[in-house]
Amino acid sequence: MTTLVENIRKIMGWCPNVSQNNYPVSYTNSASSTIHDGTNSSTFSPLFLKNTYVAGLGKETIIGITLTLAIGALYFRSQDNSIFLNYGLELILLSMVLMQYVMSRSNVEINSKYIKVSTMLQWILGSTTHTLDSINTIKVQKNEFHRLGYWGLFIVGTLWLFLFLSDMFAGEPVAELIQSIFWVFFCFGYGYIVYIASKSIYQIRISFNPNPPIKHLKIYTKNAQQIADMLEEAKETNGAM
């Protein structure tokens, strides 16, 4: 039970970034850094970040937790030979990986008026938008991910893959093969997300008024400091208007 609670907590806050490719507009050298066009420091050029992990998205987080709890409830209420009884934990792990993937493919738009975040579920949930004048604080924090995390997952996933192949050639029951496939998918899927996350060293934590502890976004990107500086400048400019 403790492990399940810890996994749910990670869904809400410990999520990695999948932000290898950021594509700022009106900036140069977008593959490695974001450089402000200094021709007019008071002008805030729109910025777009694609395939970026963003934590703090309320609607997506609620869906992830609801899905996990629903599978858990069905697991405890299942009868014999039920898919939830046989694969309850595996389905929870699968939902975790899928939600992490959805949130890791976020698109972020920042302009002189607002920050807009949309995910792959935009056609269902819409986007999350915060105005720049509602920003309370902007902090750049170190992204705490280690190579040991994804290497460990890859190694465990490889072992599960060998176990699956061994069971398949040995003619083991289909139920055991399906369980092995779930674990292989989880280890390689989550390991890949953590691997990509390790490429980003810093994250931007932005809190909004009211209730800064609740309303916040964490944007994981290689260009965290430059973007944070631009947001601070835009915030001060809007505040002076």
Side-chain angles (χ1 to χ4, degrees):
M1 188 64 183
T2 302
T3 302
L4 177 59
V5 173
E6 181 67 13
N7 286 334
I8 294 175
R9 182 187 66 80
K10 289 180 179 179
I11 291 178
M12 299 180 66
W14 180 86
C15 302
N17 145 49
V18 181
S19 170
Q20 280 194 346
N21 299 314
N22 292 336
Y23 302 93
V25 177
S26 300
Y27 291 79
T28 60
N29 195 23
S30 61
S32 59
S33 64
T34 306
I35 303 175
H36 193 279
D37 183 359
T39 56
N40 186 354
S41 60
S42 63
T43 301
F44 189 94
S45 299
L47 177 69
F48 297 91
L49 306 176
K50 295 184 178 180
N51 300 333
T52 301
Y53 187 87
V54 180
L57 297 174
K59 292 174 289 187
E60 286 78 2
T61 300
I62 290 173
I63 284 182
I65 294 175
T66 302
L67 181 61
T68 301
L69 293 176
I71 294 174
L74 290 171
Y75 170 75
F76 288 111
R77 293 175 61 88
S78 296
Q79 304 298 320
D80 292 342
N81 300 322
S82 168
I83 184 175
F84 294 101
L85 179 62
N86 294 328
Y87 308 112
L89 176 60
E90 287 79 6
L91 288 172
I92 289 175
L93 296 177
L94 177 63
S95 68
M96 287 174 55
V97 174
L98 292 178
M99 287 307 301
Q100 293 296 327
Y101 181 75
V102 166
M103 298 175 73
S104 71
R105 309 296 290 183
S106 300
N107 294 330
V108 182
E109 177 186 354
I110 304 175
N111 58 36
S112 60
K113 297 183 181 296
Y114 58 78
I115 300 173
K116 180 180 178 181
V117 183
S118 57
T119 68
M120 298 171 64
L121 299 178
Q122 180 182 11
W123 62 284
I124 299 176
L125 302 177
S127 58
T128 298
T129 303
H130 295 281
T131 59
L132 294 191
D133 56 11
S134 69
I135 292 177
N136 181 271
T137 60
I138 302 171
K139 296 180 181 179
V140 176
Q141 302 171 329
K142 191 162 186 180
N143 185 14
E144 297 181 356
F145 290 101
H146 304 283
R147 292 183 179 180
L148 183 62
Y150 62 78
W151 276 117
L153 287 167
F154 287 157
I155 291 172
V156 173
T158 302
L159 293 176
W160 273 107
L161 180 60
F162 280 122
L163 178 63
F164 165 75
L165 295 175
S166 176
D167 289 344
M168 183 176 65
F169 288 119
E172 294 295 332
V174 175
E176 293 188 13
L177 297 179
I178 293 177
Q179 286 181 333
S180 296
I181 285 293
F182 271 118
W183 282 102
V184 169
F185 179 84
F186 171 77
C187 292
F188 282 112
Y190 214 98
Y192 176 75
I193 293 174
V194 176
Y195 167 73
I196 299 302
S198 66
K199 302 296 184 180
S200 176
I201 301 176
Y202 296 98
Q203 58 173 294
I204 309 170
R205 179 184 172 90
I206 308 170
S207 63
F208 301 91
N209 292 317
N211 303 320
I214 300 175
K215 298 180 64 175
H216 73 274
L217 294 176
K218 287 184 180 179
I219 303 174
Y220 294 79
T221 174
K222 294 179 180 180
N223 306 314
Q225 189 60 61
Q226 295 95 325
I227 296 173
D229 292 341
M230 291 160 45
L231 285 172
E232 286 284 4
E233 179 183 346
K235 176 187 173 185
E236 293 174 358
T237 300
N238 287 345
M241 292 177 63

